[in-house]
Amino acid sequence: MHPQPLLEVDDLHVEFSTADGPVEAVAGVSFTVGAEETVAVVGESGSGKSVTALAVLKLLDGGRISRGQVRFDGKDLAPLNPKAMRKVRGNDIAMIFQDPMTSLDPLYSVGHQIVEALRLHRRVTKRAARERAVELLEQVGMPDPRRRLASYPHQLSGGQRQRVMIAIALACSPRLLIADEPTTALDVTIEAQILELLHDLQREYRTAMLLVTHDMGVVAETADRVVVFYGGQVVEQGPTAQVLRNPQHPYTAALLAAIPHPDSAKERQLPAIPGAVPALRDMPAGCRFNPRCAMAWEACTHEVPPLYELPGGRTSRCLLHREGGGSAVVAPPAPPLSAELAPAGPPLTTRKGI
Amino acid sequence: MASPATQVDPAATPGAPLMEVTDLVKHFPITKGLLRRTVGHVRAVDGVSFTIGAGETVGLVGESGSGKSTVARLVLRLLGPTAGSVKFDGREIAGLSQRELTPLRRNMQIVFQDPVSSFDPRMTISSVITEPLEAQGISSGKQARDRAAELLDLVGLSGRDLDKYPHQFSGGQAQRIGIARALATNPRLLVCDEAVSALDVSVQAQVLNLLRKLQVELGLSYLFIAHDLNVVRYISDRICVMYLGRIIEQGPAEAVMTDPQHPYTRTLAGAIAADPRTGGGTRRVVVRGEMPSPSNPPSGCPFHPRCPQAFDRCSTEVPAPLPAGEGGRTASCHLLDITPTNGKAVR
Ligand SMILES: Nc1ncnc2c1ncn2[C@@H]1O[C@H](COP(=O)(O)OP(=O)(O)OP(=O)(O)O)[C@@H](O)[C@H]1O
Ligand SMILES: Nc1ncnc2c1ncn2[C@@H]1O[C@H](COP(=O)(O)OP(=O)(O)OP(=O)(O)O)[C@@H](O)[C@H]1O
Ligand code: SF4
Ligand code: SF4
Ligand SMILES: [Mg+2]
Ligand SMILES: [Mg+2]
């Protein structure tokens, strides 16, 4: 028997009301995060990663969950009132964002903000909280932690601010940490430091992590399982190593191929994906990826692919699996440099499949 | 030498680099108080030398604040240097006045990270692209518009887009327009400062392909700045690694990335995530500490407070660039400076 997952997102739909009527930013997303597990949500800009993360915490600004459920520890979060939800956010689930400047208060010292976070959820004296704050700063690798208590956010580097955010997130030993692009704004050397820190702390605190990123390299390095988003949906999901080595969905394959690698042949073009991510208002009919998919055929333009269950705890949303799974999915080959470029506009929508 | 108003024939100076930068320095004053008294300097660029050959791509990498954008602005003379020389096609441009620079500007253009915010939202794409043509007095009216249509075609858009507005384009399309605009005057050097950094991976590959295609077709030279080392490695012939305002290693791209000679380059190369297609599970080498502030750089080797191999000489003596391999490789590290002491043969 599988133990019950810590977080279950079940057929989540999120709708925003805009001046031109409602738009659906997340359209039926399901995934789970087990206790002490790291799950990465990966996808390009606008694919609904942040909206999903915010929906889990009920922090949607101007949006609402229009269908589906979010369960934490088996308990539906939907009926919780704002007060009860604040308690969940302090005790069970913590979140860190890409830009700590937006979530740290510029007017208060770092020490004050950590102490506040500690005292909000635990009955401790100011003095004890301060000591704990020093300890936390030390744990997140802040140089000279005691002196740093008096620093204001603007006096810290980007990497140091992210360390403070992590200290605040860990203040109450959450069981789930949601990190939305925690290293995107940082240099590679600092990114490596922060990812190592998150990894170490996760072990120590036995925290599960939902890591939102657009960087496949970060996914490969940190996640047990990966959930690939496209156009507000999950297109593929499974254990990281298997998904990255042997992608089953054409989008995952194409995305992996488009990233320049150390062995990318210089005399060839990169195998780019033609076109661009569609806007929420012009989601294509049928498969949402079909106008850009090298393997699309006629059915893809009008049939909505369901999620197919594949062996090895994997799922993929592609009509290629219809006949019973696992057809070879290949990324388009890279043309030589002198060849014509793929058109920037909408490419052919009807190409023969397999 | 050709008259400055016409394009210089690339064949006129065979073998000479298109751009030659020597000992370039830029110090920004730090001022304080109402009287704006100078209390110190940000040593943003602190003695940088490199060359860019015709048709060559030189990549500039380094952590945030290492001085990459400042170098870009200096070589384009969008910023005056504190000291040093910048030669374009053999001609010194560091001391030229803005008026003297005008005819040279058409030869050097820049593409920025965020094209949409650099365009006037009320201007049509046609005006966005023809503006530099008119400013340079190269063409106007119908002629300029035809050129704009031609350029849109070149970057994979279409003449039908001429009367649209910037907000009607996706990020990747807007970056194509930024490139079309930069190419309008037929430049020979294009500086790309994080030009693909804000783009989605799938679209980034399109724009990188476009840049490579244009280079093959037009013989362009690029100074290419990006924080993604795999991107820089893919597109560059040579790479210069910056740290605290200095180039601490340079050489052929593959050699620098696969066999770095400077301890900092080694940590930088080690900090790149592994190829995700291998399935992951490997962790990267982590270098401790952060880059110090360029307003208060360390003595001696700028990397010594973080360097795992630092020894006594490193905190007192600034290492000079030393030969470090084929293809004109250099690295500025005392470890490469081995002076043999006299010995006695014992066997
Ligand atoms: N408050 C809002 N009102 C209307 N639409 C919104 C709102 N917030 C997000 N959206 C839309 O929802 C979609 C998904 O956005 P989301 O922020 O989740 O993307 P993301 O995957 O996190 O992208 P990125 O990588 O750029 O952070 C986008 O099209 C976005 O424009
Ligand atoms: N106009 C200016 N006045 C004062 N300091 C400046 C100015 N422009 C840049 N600097 C400083 O010079 C240093 C180098 O900045 P630069 O923008 O060249 O770095 P960079 O390598 O391009 O960094 P990034 O990767 O973040 O773009 C930084 O410390 C920066 O704060
Ligand atoms: S093959 Fe069809 S269903 Fe599968 S991803 Fe491509 S377009 Fe979608
Ligand atoms: S000179 Fe010394 S401190 Fe600098 S990189 Fe070389 S060994 Fe390290
Ligand atoms: Mg986001
Ligand atoms: Mg810069």
Side-chain angles (χ1 to χ4, degrees):
Chain A
M1 264 315 288
H2 274 294
Q4 182 184 324
L6 189 62
L7 177 74
E8 292 166 277
V9 174
D10 189 3
D11 193 30
L12 180 73
H13 290 250
V14 177
E15 212 173 78
F16 287 97
S17 44
T18 70
D20 314 309
V23 292
E24 200 180 46
V26 172
V29 158
S30 305
F31 62 90
T32 62
V33 182
E36 297 181 43
E37 189 183 33
T38 299
V39 174
V41 164
V42 69
E44 293 181 289
S45 190
S47 57
K49 307 182 297 291
S50 296
V51 168
T52 300
L54 293 170
V56 167
L57 289 167
K58 298 225 285 185
L59 286 174
L60 288 169
D61 188 12
R64 63 181 191 96
I65 297 180
S66 49
R67 183 148 39 114
Q69 267 197 353
V70 177
R71 291 186 293 272
F72 186 78
D73 226 359
K75 209 170 65 196
D76 185 8
L77 296 181
L80 296 190
N81 63 25
K83 190 165 167 237
M85 203 53 219
R86 262 201 302 279
K87 215 167 154 191
V88 170
R89 284 199 296 265
N91 289 326
D92 299 318
I93 313 178
M95 180 146 181
I96 52 182
F97 299 91
Q98 169 172 348
D99 180 9
M101 233 14 196
T102 56
S103 28
L104 288 173
D105 191 329
L107 296 179
Y108 291 100
S109 70
V110 162
H112 180 90
Q113 296 187 51
I114 304 178
V115 167
E116 283 300 293
L118 281 165
R119 280 165 60 88
L120 200 60
H121 303 284
R122 300 263 198 288
R123 296 180 47 143
V124 286
T125 64
K126 257 208 164 111
R127 204 195 157 91
R130 271 184 84 80
E131 282 315 305
R132 177 79 185 121
V134 175
E135 225 173 86
L136 281 166
L137 283 181
E138 188 156 19
Q139 259 181 354
V140 297
M142 183 72 97
D144 205 354
R146 195 167 292 275
R147 211 171 51 94
R148 277 296 172 204
L149 286 182
S151 299
Y152 287 83
H154 74 268
Q155 296 171 316
L156 305 176
S157 70
Q160 288 172 340
R161 277 182 219 135
Q162 203 54 285
R163 289 178 197 277
V164 172
M165 276 308 298
I166 295 171
I168 291 174
L170 290 175
C172 298
S173 318
R175 295 165 66 198
L176 174 67
L177 181 63
I178 301 181
D180 190 355
E181 312 257 9
T183 59
T184 302
L186 305 174
D187 283 313
V188 278
T189 55
I190 310 300
E191 171 175 88
Q193 291 175 2
I194 297 289
L195 289 178
E196 182 189 60
L197 173 67
L198 283 172
H199 180 79
D200 292 347
L201 292 174
Q202 212 188 338
R203 287 249 165 116
E204 191 172 330
Y205 284 76
R206 310 184 63 172
T207 304
M209 181 154 73
L210 180 65
L211 179 77
V212 174
T213 179
H214 64 270
D215 187 338
M216 283 290 190
V218 170
V219 174
E221 191 173 342
T222 53
D224 303 312
R225 281 191 303 117
V226 58
V227 182
V228 184
F229 271 50
Y230 187 82
Q233 295 180 325
V234 174
V235 293
E236 176 160 13
Q237 176 274 119
T240 304
Q242 279 79 325
V243 171
L244 297 185
R245 277 193 215 130
N246 174 24
Q248 285 292 308
H249 193 280
Y251 174 66
T252 317
L255 194 59
L256 283 164
I259 307 168
H261 301 291
D263 56 347
S264 295
K266 291 201 168 204
E267 63 292 344
R268 300 191 85 81
Q269 295 180 4
L270 292 167
I273 306 178
V277 176
L280 290 180
R281 293 202 172 283
D282 347 282
M283 273 305 158
C287 171
R288 294 187 167 197
F289 186 53
N290 90 72
R292 308 178 72 194
C293 182
M295 308 185 83
W297 75 102
E298 197 271 334
C300 305
T301 61
H302 55 82
E303 269 183 61
V304 177
L307 265 182
Y308 289 92
E309 219 167 88
L310 310 175
R314 302 178 61 173
T315 51
S316 169
R317 191 185 288 280
C318 171
L319 294 174
L320 288 171
H321 303 298
R322 184 155 51 182
E323 302 306 331
S327 16
V329 169
V330 288
L337 254 194
S338 52
E340 269 305 294
L341 285 172
L348 294 177
T349 50
T350 48
R351 219 175 303 164
K352 244 188 91 217
I354 18 183
Chain B
M1 182 164 220
S3 104
T6 56
Q7 292 240 333
V8 194
D9 179 9
T13 47
L18 182 65
M19 175 149 276
E20 186 169 8
V21 174
T22 317
D23 296 332
L24 195 59
V25 174
K26 181 67 189 182
H27 292 175
F28 293 106
I30 305 169
T31 56
K32 203 176 173 181
L34 276 177
L35 298 173
R36 309 193 56 78
R37 209 159 35 88
T38 302
V39 293
H41 284 95
V42 179
R43 304 161 78 99
V45 174
D46 216 7
V48 152
S49 306
F50 64 94
T51 61
I52 308 174
E56 188 181 43
T57 301
V58 173
L60 206 52
V61 301
E63 281 170 274
S64 181
S66 57
K68 305 179 296 294
S69 296
T70 307
V71 166
R73 288 190 293 155
L74 287 170
V75 301
L76 295 173
R77 270 302 311 274
L78 299 172
L79 200 62
T82 306
S85 148
V86 178
K87 283 190 181 146
F88 186 80
D89 219 4
R91 180 170 179 201
E92 181 61 60
I93 63 167
L96 297 187
S97 69
Q98 286 304 323
R99 214 178 57 114
E100 292 168 306
L101 278 168
T102 307
L104 280 167
R105 288 248 183 260
R106 63 164 66 177
N107 286 315
M108 306 180 261
Q109 295 287 338
I110 185 161
V111 184
F112 294 106
Q113 171 163 356
D114 184 1
V116 180
S117 71
S118 63
F119 302 154
D120 181 339
R122 290 157 306 179
M123 269 164 82
T124 61
I125 297 312
S126 171
S127 340
V128 164
I129 298 176
T130 55
E131 195 186 41
L133 290 172
E134 283 164 11
Q136 288 278 325
I138 295 170
S139 60
S140 60
K142 169 99 173 54
Q143 206 190 353
R145 194 178 153 86
D146 288 347
R147 171 81 178 132
E150 190 184 303
L151 286 160
L152 284 180
D153 220 41
L154 187 69
V155 298
L157 294 170
S158 123
R160 289 192 305 273
D161 296 325
L162 279 174
D163 296 314
K164 292 186 182 163
Y165 290 88
H167 73 264
Q168 292 175 281
F169 294 89
S170 71
Q173 289 173 325
Q175 198 52 286
R176 286 169 190 268
I177 295 165
I179 293 168
R181 176 187 154 101
L183 290 178
T185 60
N186 254 326
R188 296 169 59 200
L189 173 69
L190 205 58
V191 174
C192 301
D193 190 355
E194 307 278 3
V196 300
S197 304
L199 302 176
D200 273 322
V201 181
S202 65
V203 176
Q204 171 181 286
Q206 294 172 13
V207 174
L208 287 172
N209 284 343
L210 172 64
L211 289 171
R212 300 282 310 273
K213 177 187 101 137
L214 292 171
Q215 183 164 47
V216 171
E217 286 173 7
L218 308 174
L220 289 171
S221 301
Y222 294 134
L223 178 62
F224 191 91
I225 299 172
H227 59 257
D228 185 327
L229 294 173
N230 283 327
V231 167
V232 176
R233 175 172 176 180
Y234 168 71
I235 201 156
S236 304
D237 300 305
R238 285 190 302 121
I239 289 181
C240 300
V241 184
M242 284 193 79
Y243 193 79
L244 271 181
R246 303 197 185 153
I247 291 176
I248 52 90
E249 176 160 8
Q250 60 177 313
E254 283 308 302
V256 170
M257 297 308 289
T258 53
D259 180 28
Q261 292 297 309
H262 192 284
Y264 175 64
T265 317
R266 234 171 270 147
T267 58
L268 203 59
I272 306 175
D275 183 344
R277 293 170 306 174
T278 60
T282 49
R283 308 198 71 82
R284 10 183 169 169
V285 184
V286 177
V287 57
R288 306 289 146 197
E290 300 191 6
M291 195 179 75
S293 158
S295 60
N296 187 17
S299 61
C301 171
F303 188 52
H304 90 259
R306 295 170 84 186
C307 181
Q309 283 156 283
F311 56 110
D312 49 4
R313 191 176 164 196
C314 303
S315 57
T316 52
E317 226 181 291
V318 180
L322 296 168
E326 285 171 23
R329 278 188 83 175
T330 62
S332 309
C333 172
H334 292 314
L335 289 174
L336 296 172
D337 182 17
I338 301 160
T339 332
T341 30
N342 290 332
K344 196 170 75 187
V346 287
R347 225 178 281 174

